[in-house]
């Protein structure tokens, strides 16, 4: 029997920094300071919370969770806040790589790690030989 048939609501997890509110990266992290709501986030979160259990995931320390809860409450969004990733139907995160298979995932990761023109984090996932020829 499917969860919907048993009356169980699916869980949807959404990352706080970057998906719900604007975020300049960990380098610009300031405790208790959040960017503005992402455009469309409040309305989308309200719709999700009407039919799903909404979980807001954050890497911020627990003392900040009450402030995040207040932001959600003021915006009319019902959801819980945690740093623990529960089983869920989907995870929405601005920093995620959508995983279909490991060949695509490694290719995407290799592109993210290698920026030869600007000298940033030149990490070669494939040991200087480039990606192997993938055969599916």
């Amino acid at each position: 029997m499917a969860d919907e048939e048993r009356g169980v609501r699916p869980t949807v997890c959404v990352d706080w920094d970057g998906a719900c509110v604007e975020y300049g990266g960990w380098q610009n992290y300031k405790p208790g300071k959040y960017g503005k709501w992402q455009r469309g986030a409040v309305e989308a979160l309200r719709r999700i919370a009407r039919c799903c259990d909404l979980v807001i995931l954050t890497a911020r320390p627990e003392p900040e969770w009450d402030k995040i809860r207040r932001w959600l409450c003021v915006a009319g969004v019902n959801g819980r806040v945690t740093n623990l990733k529960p089983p869920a139907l989907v995870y929405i995160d601005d920093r995620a790589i959508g995983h279909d298979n490991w060949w695509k995932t490694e290719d995407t990761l290799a592109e993210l790690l290698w920026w030869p023109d600007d000298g940033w984090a030149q990490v070669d996932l494939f040991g200087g030989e480039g990606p192997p020829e993938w055969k599916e």
Side-chain angles (χ1 to χ4, degrees), residues 34-82:
Y34 310 130
K36 296 182 283 187
W37 283 104
Q38 291 279 7
R39 196 171 111 220
V42 171
E43 297 80 6
L45 294 171
R46 286 180 190 151
R47 284 190 295 272
I48 292 167
R50 279 200 298 264
C51 61
C52 302
D53 289 331
L54 176 64
V55 176
I56 303 299
L57 294 172
T58 184
R60 289 181 179 260
E62 195 166 352
E64 293 191 40
W65 298 1
D66 281 340
K67 185 173 180 182
I68 295 171
R69 288 184 191 101
R70 284 193 299 275
W71 272 51
L72 294 169
C73 183
V74 167
V77 176
N78 295 316
R80 66 184 174 99
V81 178
T82 185

Short mmCIF file of all heavy atoms in Angstrom, two decimals, residues 34-82:
data_model
loop_
_atom_site.label_atom_id
_atom_site.label_comp_id
_atom_site.label_asym_id
_atom_site.label_seq_id
_atom_site.Cartn_x
_atom_site.Cartn_y
_atom_site.Cartn_z
N TYR A 34 20.72 36.58 7.75
CA TYR A 34 20.21 35.86 6.59
C TYR A 34 20.00 36.83 5.44
O TYR A 34 19.69 37.99 5.66
CB TYR A 34 18.88 35.16 6.90
CG TYR A 34 18.93 34.36 8.17
CD1 TYR A 34 17.96 34.50 9.15
CD2 TYR A 34 19.96 33.45 8.40
CE1 TYR A 34 18.01 33.76 10.31
CE2 TYR A 34 20.01 32.70 9.56
CZ TYR A 34 19.03 32.87 10.51
OH TYR A 34 19.09 32.14 11.67
N GLY A 35 20.12 36.31 4.25
CA GLY A 35 19.80 37.11 3.08
C GLY A 35 18.29 37.25 2.96
O GLY A 35 17.52 36.73 3.77
N LYS A 36 17.86 37.96 1.94
CA LYS A 36 16.42 38.10 1.69
C LYS A 36 15.86 36.76 1.21
O LYS A 36 16.59 35.90 0.71
CB LYS A 36 16.18 39.16 0.61
CG LYS A 36 16.62 40.55 1.02
CD LYS A 36 16.32 41.55 -0.08
CE LYS A 36 17.35 41.40 -1.16
NZ LYS A 36 17.32 42.38 -2.21
N TRP A 37 14.55 36.61 1.35
CA TRP A 37 13.90 35.42 0.80
C TRP A 37 14.21 35.32 -0.69
O TRP A 37 14.20 36.33 -1.40
CB TRP A 37 12.38 35.52 0.97
CG TRP A 37 11.87 35.24 2.34
CD1 TRP A 37 11.43 36.16 3.25
CD2 TRP A 37 11.74 33.96 2.96
NE1 TRP A 37 11.03 35.53 4.40
CE2 TRP A 37 11.20 34.17 4.25
CE3 TRP A 37 12.01 32.66 2.56
CZ2 TRP A 37 10.94 33.13 5.13
CZ3 TRP A 37 11.75 31.62 3.44
CH2 TRP A 37 11.23 31.86 4.70
N GLN A 38 14.49 34.12 -1.15
CA GLN A 38 14.62 33.90 -2.59
C GLN A 38 13.28 34.22 -3.25
O GLN A 38 12.21 33.96 -2.67
CB GLN A 38 14.98 32.43 -2.88
CG GLN A 38 16.36 32.04 -2.46
CD GLN A 38 17.41 32.46 -3.46
OE1 GLN A 38 17.15 33.16 -4.44
NE2 GLN A 38 18.63 32.02 -3.22
N ARG A 39 13.33 34.79 -4.44
CA ARG A 39 12.09 35.11 -5.15
C ARG A 39 11.23 33.87 -5.33
O ARG A 39 11.70 32.85 -5.83
CB ARG A 39 12.43 35.72 -6.51
CG ARG A 39 11.26 36.42 -7.13
CD ARG A 39 11.67 37.19 -8.35
NE ARG A 39 11.05 36.49 -9.47
CZ ARG A 39 11.61 36.27 -10.64
NH1 ARG A 39 12.81 36.69 -10.89
NH2 ARG A 39 10.95 35.64 -11.57
N GLY A 40 10.00 33.93 -4.87
CA GLY A 40 9.05 32.83 -5.02
C GLY A 40 9.13 31.78 -3.92
O GLY A 40 8.30 30.88 -3.87
N ALA A 41 10.11 31.90 -3.03
CA ALA A 41 10.32 30.86 -2.01
C ALA A 41 9.15 30.75 -1.04
O ALA A 41 8.67 29.65 -0.76
CB ALA A 41 11.62 31.10 -1.25
N VAL A 42 8.69 31.87 -0.52
CA VAL A 42 7.62 31.83 0.50
C VAL A 42 6.37 31.17 -0.07
O VAL A 42 5.79 30.27 0.56
CB VAL A 42 7.31 33.25 1.03
CG1 VAL A 42 6.07 33.24 1.90
CG2 VAL A 42 8.51 33.79 1.81
N GLU A 43 5.95 31.57 -1.24
CA GLU A 43 4.75 31.01 -1.85
C GLU A 43 4.93 29.52 -2.12
O GLU A 43 4.02 28.72 -1.85
CB GLU A 43 4.41 31.74 -3.14
CG GLU A 43 4.07 33.21 -2.95
CD GLU A 43 5.29 34.13 -2.80
OE1 GLU A 43 6.45 33.66 -2.96
OE2 GLU A 43 5.08 35.32 -2.52
N ALA A 44 6.09 29.14 -2.63
CA ALA A 44 6.35 27.72 -2.91
C ALA A 44 6.36 26.90 -1.63
O ALA A 44 5.78 25.81 -1.57
CB ALA A 44 7.67 27.57 -3.66
N LEU A 45 7.02 27.42 -0.58
CA LEU A 45 7.07 26.69 0.68
C LEU A 45 5.68 26.53 1.29
O LEU A 45 5.35 25.47 1.84
CB LEU A 45 8.01 27.39 1.66
CG LEU A 45 9.49 27.39 1.27
CD1 LEU A 45 10.29 28.30 2.21
CD2 LEU A 45 10.06 25.98 1.25
N ARG A 46 4.85 27.55 1.18
CA ARG A 46 3.46 27.44 1.68
C ARG A 46 2.71 26.34 0.94
O ARG A 46 2.00 25.54 1.56
CB ARG A 46 2.72 28.76 1.49
CG ARG A 46 3.12 29.83 2.45
CD ARG A 46 2.30 31.09 2.15
NE ARG A 46 2.79 32.23 2.88
CZ ARG A 46 2.68 33.49 2.45
NH1 ARG A 46 2.10 33.76 1.28
NH2 ARG A 46 3.16 34.48 3.17
N ARG A 47 2.85 26.31 -0.39
CA ARG A 47 2.16 25.28 -1.17
C ARG A 47 2.67 23.88 -0.80
O ARG A 47 1.87 22.94 -0.65
CB ARG A 47 2.34 25.54 -2.67
CG ARG A 47 1.48 26.67 -3.19
CD ARG A 47 1.49 26.75 -4.71
NE ARG A 47 2.80 27.07 -5.26
CZ ARG A 47 3.24 28.32 -5.46
NH1 ARG A 47 2.48 29.36 -5.13
NH2 ARG A 47 4.42 28.53 -5.98
N ILE A 48 3.98 23.74 -0.67
CA ILE A 48 4.55 22.44 -0.30
C ILE A 48 4.03 22.00 1.06
O ILE A 48 3.62 20.85 1.25
CB ILE A 48 6.10 22.50 -0.30
CG1 ILE A 48 6.63 22.69 -1.73
CG2 ILE A 48 6.69 21.25 0.34
CD1 ILE A 48 8.10 23.06 -1.81
N ALA A 49 4.01 22.93 2.03
CA ALA A 49 3.59 22.60 3.40
C ALA A 49 2.11 22.22 3.48
O ALA A 49 1.72 21.53 4.42
CB ALA A 49 3.89 23.77 4.33
N ARG A 50 1.30 22.64 2.51
CA ARG A 50 -0.12 22.27 2.52
C ARG A 50 -0.32 20.79 2.26
O ARG A 50 -1.27 20.19 2.77
CB ARG A 50 -0.89 23.09 1.49
CG ARG A 50 -1.25 24.48 1.97
CD ARG A 50 -2.39 25.08 1.17
NE ARG A 50 -2.08 25.24 -0.25
CZ ARG A 50 -1.64 26.38 -0.80
NH1 ARG A 50 -1.44 27.44 -0.05
NH2 ARG A 50 -1.39 26.43 -2.08
N CYS A 51 0.57 20.18 1.48
CA CYS A 51 0.34 18.78 1.10
C CYS A 51 1.47 17.84 1.56
O CYS A 51 1.35 16.63 1.41
CB CYS A 51 0.15 18.66 -0.40
SG CYS A 51 1.56 19.21 -1.36
N CYS A 52 2.53 18.39 2.10
CA CYS A 52 3.68 17.58 2.51
C CYS A 52 4.17 18.02 3.88
O CYS A 52 3.87 19.12 4.33
CB CYS A 52 4.84 17.75 1.51
SG CYS A 52 4.44 17.33 -0.18
N ASP A 53 4.94 17.16 4.52
CA ASP A 53 5.65 17.57 5.73
C ASP A 53 6.91 18.29 5.27
O ASP A 53 7.79 17.69 4.65
CB ASP A 53 6.01 16.35 6.59
CG ASP A 53 4.80 15.75 7.25
OD1 ASP A 53 3.83 16.49 7.52
OD2 ASP A 53 4.81 14.53 7.52
N LEU A 54 6.98 19.57 5.56
CA LEU A 54 8.10 20.40 5.13
C LEU A 54 9.17 20.41 6.21
O LEU A 54 8.90 20.70 7.37
CB LEU A 54 7.63 21.83 4.86
CG LEU A 54 8.71 22.84 4.49
CD1 LEU A 54 9.38 22.47 3.16
CD2 LEU A 54 8.11 24.23 4.42
N VAL A 55 10.39 20.08 5.80
CA VAL A 55 11.54 20.10 6.70
C VAL A 55 12.56 21.06 6.11
O VAL A 55 12.96 20.92 4.95
CB VAL A 55 12.16 18.70 6.87
CG1 VAL A 55 13.40 18.77 7.74
CG2 VAL A 55 11.15 17.73 7.45
N ILE A 56 12.96 22.04 6.91
CA ILE A 56 14.00 22.98 6.50
C ILE A 56 15.32 22.47 7.06
O ILE A 56 15.46 22.29 8.28
CB ILE A 56 13.72 24.41 7.03
CG1 ILE A 56 12.34 24.91 6.55
CG2 ILE A 56 14.84 25.35 6.63
CD1 ILE A 56 12.19 25.01 5.04
N LEU A 57 16.26 22.18 6.17
CA LEU A 57 17.57 21.68 6.58
C LEU A 57 18.55 22.85 6.64
O LEU A 57 18.55 23.71 5.77
CB LEU A 57 18.09 20.66 5.58
CG LEU A 57 17.31 19.36 5.49
CD1 LEU A 57 17.83 18.51 4.32
CD2 LEU A 57 17.40 18.58 6.78
N THR A 58 19.38 22.86 7.69
CA THR A 58 20.38 23.91 7.81
C THR A 58 21.64 23.37 8.45
O THR A 58 21.59 22.47 9.29
CB THR A 58 19.85 25.10 8.64
OG1 THR A 58 20.84 26.12 8.66
CG2 THR A 58 19.49 24.70 10.06
N ALA A 59 22.76 23.91 8.02
CA ALA A 59 24.05 23.59 8.65
C ALA A 59 24.36 24.60 9.76
O ALA A 59 25.38 24.49 10.43
CB ALA A 59 25.17 23.59 7.61
N ARG A 60 23.48 25.58 9.93
CA ARG A 60 23.70 26.58 10.97
C ARG A 60 23.56 25.94 12.35
O ARG A 60 22.83 24.97 12.51
CB ARG A 60 22.71 27.73 10.81
CG ARG A 60 23.02 28.58 9.58
CD ARG A 60 22.04 29.71 9.45
NE ARG A 60 22.35 30.54 8.31
CZ ARG A 60 22.99 31.70 8.38
NH1 ARG A 60 23.40 32.18 9.53
NH2 ARG A 60 23.20 32.41 7.28
N PRO A 61 24.24 26.51 13.35
CA PRO A 61 24.19 25.93 14.69
C PRO A 61 22.78 26.03 15.30
O PRO A 61 22.02 26.94 14.98
CB PRO A 61 25.20 26.75 15.49
CG PRO A 61 25.43 27.98 14.70
CD PRO A 61 25.13 27.67 13.27
N GLU A 62 22.48 25.10 16.17
CA GLU A 62 21.14 25.00 16.76
C GLU A 62 20.63 26.30 17.40
O GLU A 62 19.43 26.58 17.30
CB GLU A 62 21.10 23.85 17.76
CG GLU A 62 19.70 23.45 18.13
CD GLU A 62 19.62 22.13 18.85
OE1 GLU A 62 20.64 21.41 18.94
OE2 GLU A 62 18.52 21.82 19.33
N PRO A 63 21.48 27.11 18.03
CA PRO A 63 20.95 28.36 18.59
C PRO A 63 20.29 29.28 17.56
O PRO A 63 19.50 30.14 17.92
CB PRO A 63 22.19 29.03 19.21
CG PRO A 63 23.10 27.89 19.54
CD PRO A 63 22.87 26.87 18.44
N GLU A 64 20.58 29.10 16.27
CA GLU A 64 19.97 29.93 15.23
C GLU A 64 18.63 29.38 14.74
O GLU A 64 17.90 30.08 14.02
CB GLU A 64 20.92 30.07 14.04
CG GLU A 64 22.16 30.87 14.36
CD GLU A 64 22.96 31.22 13.12
OE1 GLU A 64 22.35 31.56 12.09
OE2 GLU A 64 24.19 31.15 13.20
N TRP A 65 18.29 28.16 15.11
CA TRP A 65 17.08 27.54 14.57
C TRP A 65 15.82 28.28 14.97
O TRP A 65 14.87 28.35 14.20
CB TRP A 65 16.99 26.08 14.98
CG TRP A 65 18.10 25.22 14.47
CD1 TRP A 65 19.18 25.60 13.72
CD2 TRP A 65 18.25 23.84 14.70
NE1 TRP A 65 19.99 24.53 13.47
CE2 TRP A 65 19.45 23.43 14.07
CE3 TRP A 65 17.52 22.90 15.39
CZ2 TRP A 65 19.90 22.11 14.09
CZ3 TRP A 65 17.97 21.59 15.42
CH2 TRP A 65 19.15 21.20 14.77
N ASP A 66 15.77 28.83 16.19
CA ASP A 66 14.58 29.58 16.61
C ASP A 66 14.35 30.79 15.72
O ASP A 66 13.21 31.13 15.40
CB ASP A 66 14.68 30.01 18.07
CG ASP A 66 14.35 28.88 19.03
OD1 ASP A 66 13.68 27.92 18.61
OD2 ASP A 66 14.75 28.97 20.20
N LYS A 67 15.42 31.45 15.31
CA LYS A 67 15.26 32.60 14.42
C LYS A 67 14.73 32.16 13.05
O LYS A 67 13.87 32.83 12.47
CB LYS A 67 16.59 33.35 14.26
CG LYS A 67 16.45 34.62 13.45
CD LYS A 67 17.71 35.44 13.42
CE LYS A 67 17.50 36.71 12.60
NZ LYS A 67 18.72 37.51 12.51
N ILE A 68 15.22 31.04 12.56
CA ILE A 68 14.71 30.50 11.29
C ILE A 68 13.23 30.16 11.45
O ILE A 68 12.42 30.48 10.58
CB ILE A 68 15.52 29.26 10.83
CG1 ILE A 68 16.95 29.68 10.50
CG2 ILE A 68 14.84 28.59 9.64
CD1 ILE A 68 17.90 28.51 10.25
N ARG A 69 12.85 29.54 12.57
CA ARG A 69 11.44 29.22 12.83
C ARG A 69 10.59 30.49 12.84
O ARG A 69 9.46 30.50 12.33
CB ARG A 69 11.29 28.48 14.15
CG ARG A 69 11.79 27.07 14.12
CD ARG A 69 11.51 26.35 15.46
NE ARG A 69 12.22 25.09 15.51
CZ ARG A 69 13.37 24.91 16.18
NH1 ARG A 69 13.90 25.87 16.90
NH2 ARG A 69 13.96 23.73 16.15
N ARG A 70 11.10 31.56 13.43
CA ARG A 70 10.36 32.83 13.45
C ARG A 70 10.17 33.37 12.04
O ARG A 70 9.09 33.86 11.70
CB ARG A 70 11.06 33.85 14.34
CG ARG A 70 10.86 33.59 15.83
CD ARG A 70 11.29 34.75 16.71
NE ARG A 70 12.69 35.11 16.60
CZ ARG A 70 13.69 34.53 17.28
NH1 ARG A 70 13.43 33.55 18.11
NH2 ARG A 70 14.94 34.93 17.11
N TRP A 71 11.23 33.30 11.22
CA TRP A 71 11.10 33.74 9.82
C TRP A 71 9.99 32.95 9.12
O TRP A 71 9.18 33.52 8.40
CB TRP A 71 12.42 33.55 9.08
CG TRP A 71 13.37 34.69 9.16
CD1 TRP A 71 13.81 35.32 10.30
CD2 TRP A 71 14.02 35.33 8.07
NE1 TRP A 71 14.71 36.30 9.97
CE2 TRP A 71 14.86 36.33 8.61
CE3 TRP A 71 14.01 35.14 6.70
CZ2 TRP A 71 15.65 37.15 7.82
CZ3 TRP A 71 14.81 35.95 5.91
CH2 TRP A 71 15.61 36.95 6.47
N LEU A 72 9.98 31.64 9.32
CA LEU A 72 8.96 30.79 8.70
C LEU A 72 7.57 31.17 9.21
O LEU A 72 6.63 31.30 8.43
CB LEU A 72 9.25 29.32 8.98
CG LEU A 72 10.51 28.74 8.34
CD1 LEU A 72 10.81 27.36 8.91
CD2 LEU A 72 10.39 28.68 6.83
N CYS A 73 7.44 31.36 10.51
CA CYS A 73 6.15 31.70 11.12
C CYS A 73 5.63 33.03 10.58
O CYS A 73 4.47 33.14 10.20
CB CYS A 73 6.31 31.73 12.63
SG CYS A 73 4.76 32.05 13.50
N VAL A 74 6.47 34.05 10.55
CA VAL A 74 6.07 35.37 10.05
C VAL A 74 5.63 35.27 8.59
O VAL A 74 4.70 35.96 8.16
CB VAL A 74 7.22 36.39 10.23
CG1 VAL A 74 6.96 37.67 9.45
CG2 VAL A 74 7.42 36.70 11.70
N ALA A 75 6.28 34.39 7.83
CA ALA A 75 5.94 34.21 6.41
C ALA A 75 4.73 33.30 6.21
O ALA A 75 4.28 33.12 5.08
CB ALA A 75 7.14 33.64 5.66
N GLY A 76 4.21 32.72 7.29
CA GLY A 76 3.06 31.83 7.17
C GLY A 76 3.41 30.46 6.63
O GLY A 76 2.59 29.81 5.99
N VAL A 77 4.63 30.01 6.90
CA VAL A 77 5.10 28.71 6.41
C VAL A 77 5.19 27.75 7.60
O VAL A 77 5.86 28.03 8.59
CB VAL A 77 6.49 28.84 5.74
CG1 VAL A 77 7.02 27.48 5.33
CG2 VAL A 77 6.42 29.77 4.54
N ASN A 78 4.51 26.61 7.48
CA ASN A 78 4.57 25.58 8.52
C ASN A 78 5.62 24.55 8.14
O ASN A 78 5.52 23.91 7.10
CB ASN A 78 3.21 24.88 8.67
CG ASN A 78 2.16 25.81 9.17
OD1 ASN A 78 2.39 26.59 10.08
ND2 ASN A 78 0.98 25.76 8.57
N GLY A 79 6.62 24.41 8.99
CA GLY A 79 7.67 23.43 8.74
C GLY A 79 8.55 23.32 9.96
O GLY A 79 8.53 24.17 10.85
N ARG A 80 9.31 22.24 10.00
CA ARG A 80 10.25 22.09 11.12
C ARG A 80 11.66 22.35 10.62
O ARG A 80 11.93 22.25 9.43
CB ARG A 80 10.11 20.74 11.80
CG ARG A 80 10.49 19.54 11.00
CD ARG A 80 10.21 18.25 11.82
NE ARG A 80 10.42 17.08 11.03
CZ ARG A 80 11.52 16.34 11.07
NH1 ARG A 80 12.51 16.67 11.88
NH2 ARG A 80 11.65 15.28 10.31
N VAL A 81 12.56 22.66 11.56
CA VAL A 81 13.94 23.01 11.23
C VAL A 81 14.86 22.00 11.91
O VAL A 81 14.67 21.66 13.08
CB VAL A 81 14.29 24.43 11.73
CG1 VAL A 81 15.74 24.77 11.44
CG2 VAL A 81 13.35 25.46 11.10
N THR A 82 15.84 21.52 11.16
CA THR A 82 16.79 20.55 11.70
C THR A 82 18.08 20.57 10.90
O THR A 82 18.13 21.14 9.82
CB THR A 82 16.19 19.12 11.70
OG1 THR A 82 17.09 18.22 12.34
CG2 THR A 82 15.91 18.63 10.29
#
